[in-house]
Amino acid sequence: MIAGKPIDKWIEEYPLIKELVETKEVFWINRNSQDQTKDNVAVGIEEIKEAETRLHRFSPFIKASFPETESSNGLIESPLVDIELMKNRLEDTYDCRIKGNLLLKCDNELPIAGSIKARGGIYEVLKHAEKLAIENKKLSITDDYSKMSSKEFKEFFSDYSIAVGSTGNLGLSIGIISAELGFNVTVHMSHDAKEWKKELLREKGVKVVEHASDFSKAVEKGREECLKSDTCYFIDDENSKDLFIGYAVAAFRLKKQLDRMKIHVDENHPLVVYLPCGVGGGPGGVAYGLKKVFGENVHCFFAEPTHSPSMLLGLMTDKHDQISVQDFGIDNRTAADGLAVGRPSRFVGQIVKKLISGVYTVDDDELFKMLALLVDCENIQLEPSALAGMYGPVQLSKTDDVSLVKLNNSLASGTQLVWATGGSLVPEKIMVEDYKKGKTLLHSL
Ligand SMILES: *Cc1c(COP(=O)(O)O)cnc(C)c1O
């Protein structure tokens, strides 16, 4: 029995589940999609604005502590680029026509953590650090926050600890920023998390605890241990509103970048955004922010590996964290480690269920193929997870669902945007292996 029903009952009710169980690629259109951001009280636009202001307050600290942010004045942001060559290559490789222009949001280049986690993860740690410092009368919000990089502050924060459970990249972002501030930080990881991520964290002085079971278990263990201490703060990937808000700030920044590129978004010039999805916070936060900024003119699709379609299962059945892919016999094994999540966030699922346009799944082999294509034609290196969004324009072009006719008609003068969620911290040796794997797969076509 799965959430009170046997599996064949589930399949009878939702035939798409059969294909998910067979780990086939699917494209699911969300019939409940409508712009509900106005009615949603879980997160207000003021809170996203407040987050943006807080990140500005911290920019002198960021600039002082991470020299790579010198040129952006301590702002953690990534480039937005046109990838027309890749668009052509996708069309050739997958025999399709991709409408409109194709852009890449390069979160793989985000400073400090090299992934989208540099948005939510770092924001939540900074917010917590600010709160502690203000409560203890060591800081006021009018101060120059560069003083937080001093020895005195490091000593102050060393009395506190931070813990997080992570498949990899969240651990990297939380670990790096927390260690820099001086916190004692513990990252709980599943045993199959990438070895290089664990090593990098240990180098930075982060305590890495490995758990034999999967991600959800790692999170549980981390939470339990942390709750035993009153100076420990647990960052909860499955339920954190601050993480979500940190991700949502991206939407304001993206609007400015589109303006600078003279790309207008309106009814006749829609914006379609493809976001790789793990537990849901990253893509959920970004999509939520985008809906606040562009309303019904933005259409967000989430992308998941065929072996970890947890958000899709959660949304389709409206059961969210009450069911997991493992319940249906799906193994949750994928090279896209950032997306290897078997059970989605209920908090995020409830928010995004009426605002995203759909979810599709992608086979791991396609991730490696697109990884190699992107290196060849644009010289951009991403980690496998980050390619999941690249499959969206291909999938959309092959979907003739009636509900998408209007969008498809206006898309020729619109924009498709692939959110590249990570890659710059991947060691060269592993990058080369991934590239070779992609090339081999492409040649065997
Ligand atoms: C974490 C991550 C995602 C997805 O974010 P969630 O909040 O887990 O949904 C996507 N891509 C990469 C590279 C990630 O590390």
Side-chain angles (χ1 to χ4, degrees), residues 376-405:
D376 284 346
C377 63
E378 307 277 355
N379 196 22
I380 296 174
Q381 304 189 339
L382 302 182
E383 58 185 276
S385 301
L387 272 307
M390 194 66 83
Y391 208 45
V394 175
Q395 292 290 59
L396 187 67
S397 77
K398 294 183 172 175
T399 306
D400 51 10
D401 192 276
V402 283
S403 68
L404 296 175
V405 168

PDB file of all heavy atoms in Angstrom, residues 376-405:
ATOM      1  N   ASP A 376      31.280  21.653 -26.518  1.00  0.00           N
ATOM      2  CA  ASP A 376      31.739  21.774 -27.901  1.00  0.00           C
ATOM      3  C   ASP A 376      31.327  23.090 -28.554  1.00  0.00           C
ATOM      4  O   ASP A 376      32.123  23.724 -29.213  1.00  0.00           O
ATOM      5  CB  ASP A 376      31.200  20.614 -28.752  1.00  0.00           C
ATOM      6  CG  ASP A 376      31.962  19.322 -28.475  1.00  0.00           C
ATOM      7  OD1 ASP A 376      33.043  19.394 -27.850  1.00  0.00           O
ATOM      8  OD2 ASP A 376      31.476  18.250 -28.874  1.00  0.00           O
ATOM      9  N   CYS A 377      30.084  23.500 -28.369  1.00  0.00           N
ATOM     10  CA  CYS A 377      29.674  24.689 -29.133  1.00  0.00           C
ATOM     11  C   CYS A 377      29.706  25.993 -28.347  1.00  0.00           C
ATOM     12  O   CYS A 377      29.805  27.049 -28.952  1.00  0.00           O
ATOM     13  CB  CYS A 377      28.338  24.467 -29.837  1.00  0.00           C
ATOM     14  SG  CYS A 377      26.976  24.179 -28.763  1.00  0.00           S
ATOM     15  N   GLU A 378      29.636  25.949 -27.018  1.00  0.00           N
ATOM     16  CA  GLU A 378      29.662  27.217 -26.273  1.00  0.00           C
ATOM     17  C   GLU A 378      30.831  27.288 -25.286  1.00  0.00           C
ATOM     18  O   GLU A 378      31.034  28.310 -24.634  1.00  0.00           O
ATOM     19  CB  GLU A 378      28.343  27.411 -25.481  1.00  0.00           C
ATOM     20  CG  GLU A 378      27.060  27.277 -26.299  1.00  0.00           C
ATOM     21  CD  GLU A 378      26.670  28.547 -27.040  1.00  0.00           C
ATOM     22  OE1 GLU A 378      27.333  29.588 -26.856  1.00  0.00           O
ATOM     23  OE2 GLU A 378      25.697  28.484 -27.816  1.00  0.00           O
ATOM     24  N   ASN A 379      31.560  26.184 -25.148  1.00  0.00           N
ATOM     25  CA  ASN A 379      32.645  26.100 -24.166  1.00  0.00           C
ATOM     26  C   ASN A 379      32.173  26.405 -22.737  1.00  0.00           C
ATOM     27  O   ASN A 379      32.834  27.100 -21.975  1.00  0.00           O
ATOM     28  CB  ASN A 379      33.815  27.014 -24.563  1.00  0.00           C
ATOM     29  CG  ASN A 379      35.080  26.666 -23.811  1.00  0.00           C
ATOM     30  OD1 ASN A 379      35.230  25.551 -23.309  1.00  0.00           O
ATOM     31  ND2 ASN A 379      35.984  27.632 -23.690  1.00  0.00           N
ATOM     32  N   ILE A 380      31.008  25.900 -22.392  1.00  0.00           N
ATOM     33  CA  ILE A 380      30.476  26.072 -21.037  1.00  0.00           C
ATOM     34  C   ILE A 380      30.411  24.686 -20.388  1.00  0.00           C
ATOM     35  O   ILE A 380      29.886  23.743 -20.990  1.00  0.00           O
ATOM     36  CB  ILE A 380      29.074  26.716 -21.073  1.00  0.00           C
ATOM     37  CG1 ILE A 380      29.154  28.133 -21.662  1.00  0.00           C
ATOM     38  CG2 ILE A 380      28.464  26.751 -19.657  1.00  0.00           C
ATOM     39  CD1 ILE A 380      27.806  28.795 -21.875  1.00  0.00           C
ATOM     40  N   GLN A 381      30.979  24.580 -19.180  1.00  0.00           N
ATOM     41  CA  GLN A 381      31.040  23.291 -18.498  1.00  0.00           C
ATOM     42  C   GLN A 381      30.058  23.241 -17.339  1.00  0.00           C
ATOM     43  O   GLN A 381      30.165  24.001 -16.384  1.00  0.00           O
ATOM     44  CB  GLN A 381      32.452  23.052 -17.961  1.00  0.00           C
ATOM     45  CG  GLN A 381      33.511  23.128 -19.052  1.00  0.00           C
ATOM     46  CD  GLN A 381      34.876  22.670 -18.577  1.00  0.00           C
ATOM     47  OE1 GLN A 381      35.164  22.656 -17.386  1.00  0.00           O
ATOM     48  NE2 GLN A 381      35.724  22.288 -19.518  1.00  0.00           N
ATOM     49  N   LEU A 382      29.126  22.306 -17.428  1.00  0.00           N
ATOM     50  CA  LEU A 382      28.121  22.160 -16.364  1.00  0.00           C
ATOM     51  C   LEU A 382      28.217  20.775 -15.751  1.00  0.00           C
ATOM     52  O   LEU A 382      28.758  19.850 -16.358  1.00  0.00           O
ATOM     53  CB  LEU A 382      26.711  22.347 -16.935  1.00  0.00           C
ATOM     54  CG  LEU A 382      26.381  23.661 -17.636  1.00  0.00           C
ATOM     55  CD1 LEU A 382      24.920  23.655 -18.076  1.00  0.00           C
ATOM     56  CD2 LEU A 382      26.650  24.858 -16.727  1.00  0.00           C
ATOM     57  N   GLU A 383      27.675  20.614 -14.549  1.00  0.00           N
ATOM     58  CA  GLU A 383      27.589  19.271 -13.982  1.00  0.00           C
ATOM     59  C   GLU A 383      26.303  18.622 -14.502  1.00  0.00           C
ATOM     60  O   GLU A 383      25.374  19.327 -14.930  1.00  0.00           O
ATOM     61  CB  GLU A 383      27.645  19.327 -12.456  1.00  0.00           C
ATOM     62  CG  GLU A 383      26.577  20.148 -11.783  1.00  0.00           C
ATOM     63  CD  GLU A 383      26.798  20.238 -10.267  1.00  0.00           C
ATOM     64  OE1 GLU A 383      26.387  19.316  -9.535  1.00  0.00           O
ATOM     65  OE2 GLU A 383      27.393  21.245  -9.832  1.00  0.00           O
ATOM     66  N   PRO A 384      26.224  17.289 -14.503  1.00  0.00           N
ATOM     67  CA  PRO A 384      25.080  16.607 -15.132  1.00  0.00           C
ATOM     68  C   PRO A 384      23.708  17.153 -14.700  1.00  0.00           C
ATOM     69  O   PRO A 384      22.848  17.402 -15.552  1.00  0.00           O
ATOM     70  CB  PRO A 384      25.273  15.148 -14.703  1.00  0.00           C
ATOM     71  CG  PRO A 384      26.761  15.000 -14.578  1.00  0.00           C
ATOM     72  CD  PRO A 384      27.248  16.314 -14.021  1.00  0.00           C
ATOM     73  N   SER A 385      23.506  17.383 -13.413  1.00  0.00           N
ATOM     74  CA  SER A 385      22.210  17.909 -12.934  1.00  0.00           C
ATOM     75  C   SER A 385      21.797  19.170 -13.678  1.00  0.00           C
ATOM     76  O   SER A 385      20.621  19.386 -13.974  1.00  0.00           O
ATOM     77  CB  SER A 385      22.289  18.297 -11.455  1.00  0.00           C
ATOM     78  OG  SER A 385      22.634  17.217 -10.657  1.00  0.00           O
ATOM     79  N   ALA A 386      22.785  20.008 -13.947  1.00  0.00           N
ATOM     80  CA  ALA A 386      22.509  21.334 -14.481  1.00  0.00           C
ATOM     81  C   ALA A 386      22.053  21.303 -15.937  1.00  0.00           C
ATOM     82  O   ALA A 386      21.634  22.324 -16.477  1.00  0.00           O
ATOM     83  CB  ALA A 386      23.743  22.212 -14.335  1.00  0.00           C
ATOM     84  N   LEU A 387      22.182  20.132 -16.587  1.00  0.00           N
ATOM     85  CA  LEU A 387      21.743  20.021 -17.981  1.00  0.00           C
ATOM     86  C   LEU A 387      20.268  19.662 -18.102  1.00  0.00           C
ATOM     87  O   LEU A 387      19.709  19.674 -19.192  1.00  0.00           O
ATOM     88  CB  LEU A 387      22.581  18.964 -18.702  1.00  0.00           C
ATOM     89  CG  LEU A 387      23.898  19.387 -19.371  1.00  0.00           C
ATOM     90  CD1 LEU A 387      23.698  20.554 -20.322  1.00  0.00           C
ATOM     91  CD2 LEU A 387      24.988  19.704 -18.380  1.00  0.00           C
ATOM     92  N   ALA A 388      19.641  19.316 -16.985  1.00  0.00           N
ATOM     93  CA  ALA A 388      18.254  18.835 -17.054  1.00  0.00           C
ATOM     94  C   ALA A 388      17.343  19.866 -17.708  1.00  0.00           C
ATOM     95  O   ALA A 388      16.445  19.525 -18.479  1.00  0.00           O
ATOM     96  CB  ALA A 388      17.753  18.460 -15.664  1.00  0.00           C
ATOM     97  N   GLY A 389      17.598  21.139 -17.435  1.00  0.00           N
ATOM     98  CA  GLY A 389      16.778  22.198 -18.013  1.00  0.00           C
ATOM     99  C   GLY A 389      16.948  22.333 -19.516  1.00  0.00           C
ATOM    100  O   GLY A 389      16.048  22.793 -20.228  1.00  0.00           O
ATOM    101  N   MET A 390      18.123  21.918 -20.009  1.00  0.00           N
ATOM    102  CA  MET A 390      18.434  22.068 -21.438  1.00  0.00           C
ATOM    103  C   MET A 390      17.532  21.196 -22.316  1.00  0.00           C
ATOM    104  O   MET A 390      17.379  21.442 -23.508  1.00  0.00           O
ATOM    105  CB  MET A 390      19.912  21.693 -21.652  1.00  0.00           C
ATOM    106  CG  MET A 390      20.475  22.103 -22.975  1.00  0.00           C
ATOM    107  SD  MET A 390      20.559  23.893 -23.177  1.00  0.00           S
ATOM    108  CE  MET A 390      22.101  24.284 -22.338  1.00  0.00           C
ATOM    109  N   TYR A 391      16.963  20.179 -21.727  1.00  0.00           N
ATOM    110  CA  TYR A 391      16.099  19.259 -22.471  1.00  0.00           C
ATOM    111  C   TYR A 391      14.698  19.856 -22.663  1.00  0.00           C
ATOM    112  O   TYR A 391      13.924  19.377 -23.484  1.00  0.00           O
ATOM    113  CB  TYR A 391      16.008  17.954 -21.683  1.00  0.00           C
ATOM    114  CG  TYR A 391      15.767  16.711 -22.497  1.00  0.00           C
ATOM    115  CD1 TYR A 391      16.469  16.467 -23.671  1.00  0.00           C
ATOM    116  CD2 TYR A 391      14.848  15.759 -22.059  1.00  0.00           C
ATOM    117  CE1 TYR A 391      16.262  15.305 -24.393  1.00  0.00           C
ATOM    118  CE2 TYR A 391      14.634  14.588 -22.774  1.00  0.00           C
ATOM    119  CZ  TYR A 391      15.344  14.378 -23.940  1.00  0.00           C
ATOM    120  OH  TYR A 391      15.147  13.224 -24.655  1.00  0.00           O
ATOM    121  N   GLY A 392      14.384  20.889 -21.900  1.00  0.00           N
ATOM    122  CA  GLY A 392      13.052  21.486 -21.938  1.00  0.00           C
ATOM    123  C   GLY A 392      12.625  22.002 -23.301  1.00  0.00           C
ATOM    124  O   GLY A 392      11.546  21.659 -23.797  1.00  0.00           O
ATOM    125  N   PRO A 393      13.454  22.838 -23.945  1.00  0.00           N
ATOM    126  CA  PRO A 393      13.071  23.352 -25.269  1.00  0.00           C
ATOM    127  C   PRO A 393      12.827  22.221 -26.268  1.00  0.00           C
ATOM    128  O   PRO A 393      11.953  22.329 -27.124  1.00  0.00           O
ATOM    129  CB  PRO A 393      14.285  24.199 -25.671  1.00  0.00           C
ATOM    130  CG  PRO A 393      14.943  24.572 -24.380  1.00  0.00           C
ATOM    131  CD  PRO A 393      14.714  23.419 -23.454  1.00  0.00           C
ATOM    132  N   VAL A 394      13.605  21.136 -26.151  1.00  0.00           N
ATOM    133  CA  VAL A 394      13.425  19.978 -27.031  1.00  0.00           C
ATOM    134  C   VAL A 394      12.068  19.338 -26.754  1.00  0.00           C
ATOM    135  O   VAL A 394      11.269  19.103 -27.673  1.00  0.00           O
ATOM    136  CB  VAL A 394      14.559  18.940 -26.798  1.00  0.00           C
ATOM    137  CG1 VAL A 394      14.306  17.682 -27.610  1.00  0.00           C
ATOM    138  CG2 VAL A 394      15.919  19.544 -27.112  1.00  0.00           C
ATOM    139  N   GLN A 395      11.816  19.084 -25.486  1.00  0.00           N
ATOM    140  CA  GLN A 395      10.572  18.433 -25.099  1.00  0.00           C
ATOM    141  C   GLN A 395       9.345  19.268 -25.458  1.00  0.00           C
ATOM    142  O   GLN A 395       8.346  18.754 -25.939  1.00  0.00           O
ATOM    143  CB  GLN A 395      10.566  18.133 -23.596  1.00  0.00           C
ATOM    144  CG  GLN A 395      11.555  17.068 -23.169  1.00  0.00           C
ATOM    145  CD  GLN A 395      11.148  15.683 -23.648  1.00  0.00           C
ATOM    146  OE1 GLN A 395      11.003  15.452 -24.843  1.00  0.00           O
ATOM    147  NE2 GLN A 395      10.948  14.769 -22.721  1.00  0.00           N
ATOM    148  N   LEU A 396       9.442  20.576 -25.185  1.00  0.00           N
ATOM    149  CA  LEU A 396       8.296  21.440 -25.476  1.00  0.00           C
ATOM    150  C   LEU A 396       7.993  21.446 -26.977  1.00  0.00           C
ATOM    151  O   LEU A 396       6.829  21.417 -27.390  1.00  0.00           O
ATOM    152  CB  LEU A 396       8.555  22.872 -24.983  1.00  0.00           C
ATOM    153  CG  LEU A 396       7.357  23.814 -25.084  1.00  0.00           C
ATOM    154  CD1 LEU A 396       6.243  23.392 -24.131  1.00  0.00           C
ATOM    155  CD2 LEU A 396       7.743  25.266 -24.795  1.00  0.00           C
ATOM    156  N   SER A 397       9.047  21.449 -27.791  1.00  0.00           N
ATOM    157  CA  SER A 397       8.849  21.510 -29.249  1.00  0.00           C
ATOM    158  C   SER A 397       8.139  20.254 -29.759  1.00  0.00           C
ATOM    159  O   SER A 397       7.545  20.263 -30.821  1.00  0.00           O
ATOM    160  CB  SER A 397      10.192  21.675 -29.962  1.00  0.00           C
ATOM    161  OG  SER A 397      10.883  20.437 -29.988  1.00  0.00           O
ATOM    162  N   LYS A 398       8.227  19.167 -28.998  1.00  0.00           N
ATOM    163  CA  LYS A 398       7.624  17.904 -29.432  1.00  0.00           C
ATOM    164  C   LYS A 398       6.262  17.653 -28.802  1.00  0.00           C
ATOM    165  O   LYS A 398       5.659  16.606 -29.004  1.00  0.00           O
ATOM    166  CB  LYS A 398       8.568  16.749 -29.093  1.00  0.00           C
ATOM    167  CG  LYS A 398       9.868  16.807 -29.877  1.00  0.00           C
ATOM    168  CD  LYS A 398      10.766  15.632 -29.585  1.00  0.00           C
ATOM    169  CE  LYS A 398      11.947  15.647 -30.545  1.00  0.00           C
ATOM    170  NZ  LYS A 398      12.933  14.610 -30.255  1.00  0.00           N
ATOM    171  N   THR A 399       5.801  18.627 -28.026  1.00  0.00           N
ATOM    172  CA  THR A 399       4.534  18.441 -27.333  1.00  0.00           C
ATOM    173  C   THR A 399       3.444  19.201 -28.063  1.00  0.00           C
ATOM    174  O   THR A 399       3.566  20.401 -28.272  1.00  0.00           O
ATOM    175  CB  THR A 399       4.647  18.959 -25.883  1.00  0.00           C
ATOM    176  OG1 THR A 399       5.760  18.324 -25.279  1.00  0.00           O
ATOM    177  CG2 THR A 399       3.401  18.661 -25.073  1.00  0.00           C
ATOM    178  N   ASP A 400       2.391  18.501 -28.466  1.00  0.00           N
ATOM    179  CA  ASP A 400       1.340  19.202 -29.214  1.00  0.00           C
ATOM    180  C   ASP A 400       0.051  19.311 -28.400  1.00  0.00           C
ATOM    181  O   ASP A 400      -1.038  19.439 -28.951  1.00  0.00           O
ATOM    182  CB  ASP A 400       1.086  18.533 -30.566  1.00  0.00           C
ATOM    183  CG  ASP A 400       0.853  17.040 -30.409  1.00  0.00           C
ATOM    184  OD1 ASP A 400       0.708  16.591 -29.249  1.00  0.00           O
ATOM    185  OD2 ASP A 400       0.815  16.330 -31.430  1.00  0.00           O
ATOM    186  N   ASP A 401       0.174  19.269 -27.089  1.00  0.00           N
ATOM    187  CA  ASP A 401      -1.000  19.365 -26.224  1.00  0.00           C
ATOM    188  C   ASP A 401      -1.770  20.661 -26.499  1.00  0.00           C
ATOM    189  O   ASP A 401      -1.179  21.735 -26.648  1.00  0.00           O
ATOM    190  CB  ASP A 401      -0.544  19.332 -24.769  1.00  0.00           C
ATOM    191  CG  ASP A 401      -1.704  19.132 -23.814  1.00  0.00           C
ATOM    192  OD1 ASP A 401      -2.363  20.130 -23.459  1.00  0.00           O
ATOM    193  OD2 ASP A 401      -1.964  17.972 -23.462  1.00  0.00           O
ATOM    194  N   VAL A 402      -3.083  20.553 -26.559  1.00  0.00           N
ATOM    195  CA  VAL A 402      -3.903  21.726 -26.898  1.00  0.00           C
ATOM    196  C   VAL A 402      -3.707  22.894 -25.936  1.00  0.00           C
ATOM    197  O   VAL A 402      -3.768  24.053 -26.335  1.00  0.00           O
ATOM    198  CB  VAL A 402      -5.410  21.380 -26.954  1.00  0.00           C
ATOM    199  CG1 VAL A 402      -5.742  20.661 -28.244  1.00  0.00           C
ATOM    200  CG2 VAL A 402      -5.861  20.591 -25.747  1.00  0.00           C
ATOM    201  N   SER A 403      -3.447  22.590 -24.682  1.00  0.00           N
ATOM    202  CA  SER A 403      -3.316  23.668 -23.700  1.00  0.00           C
ATOM    203  C   SER A 403      -2.077  24.519 -23.967  1.00  0.00           C
ATOM    204  O   SER A 403      -1.924  25.607 -23.411  1.00  0.00           O
ATOM    205  CB  SER A 403      -3.273  23.096 -22.285  1.00  0.00           C
ATOM    206  OG  SER A 403      -2.081  22.382 -22.101  1.00  0.00           O
ATOM    207  N   LEU A 404      -1.185  24.021 -24.826  1.00  0.00           N
ATOM    208  CA  LEU A 404       0.039  24.775 -25.095  1.00  0.00           C
ATOM    209  C   LEU A 404       0.018  25.484 -26.451  1.00  0.00           C
ATOM    210  O   LEU A 404       0.987  26.111 -26.836  1.00  0.00           O
ATOM    211  CB  LEU A 404       1.255  23.850 -25.017  1.00  0.00           C
ATOM    212  CG  LEU A 404       1.542  23.222 -23.639  1.00  0.00           C
ATOM    213  CD1 LEU A 404       2.687  22.238 -23.738  1.00  0.00           C
ATOM    214  CD2 LEU A 404       1.847  24.280 -22.601  1.00  0.00           C
ATOM    215  N   VAL A 405      -1.114  25.401 -27.166  1.00  0.00           N
ATOM    216  CA  VAL A 405      -1.201  25.982 -28.501  1.00  0.00           C
ATOM    217  C   VAL A 405      -0.927  27.487 -28.480  1.00  0.00           C
ATOM    218  O   VAL A 405      -0.126  28.012 -29.252  1.00  0.00           O
ATOM    219  CB  VAL A 405      -2.580  25.704 -29.147  1.00  0.00           C
ATOM    220  CG1 VAL A 405      -2.778  26.544 -30.399  1.00  0.00           C
ATOM    221  CG2 VAL A 405      -2.695  24.220 -29.488  1.00  0.00           C
TER     222      VAL A 405
END
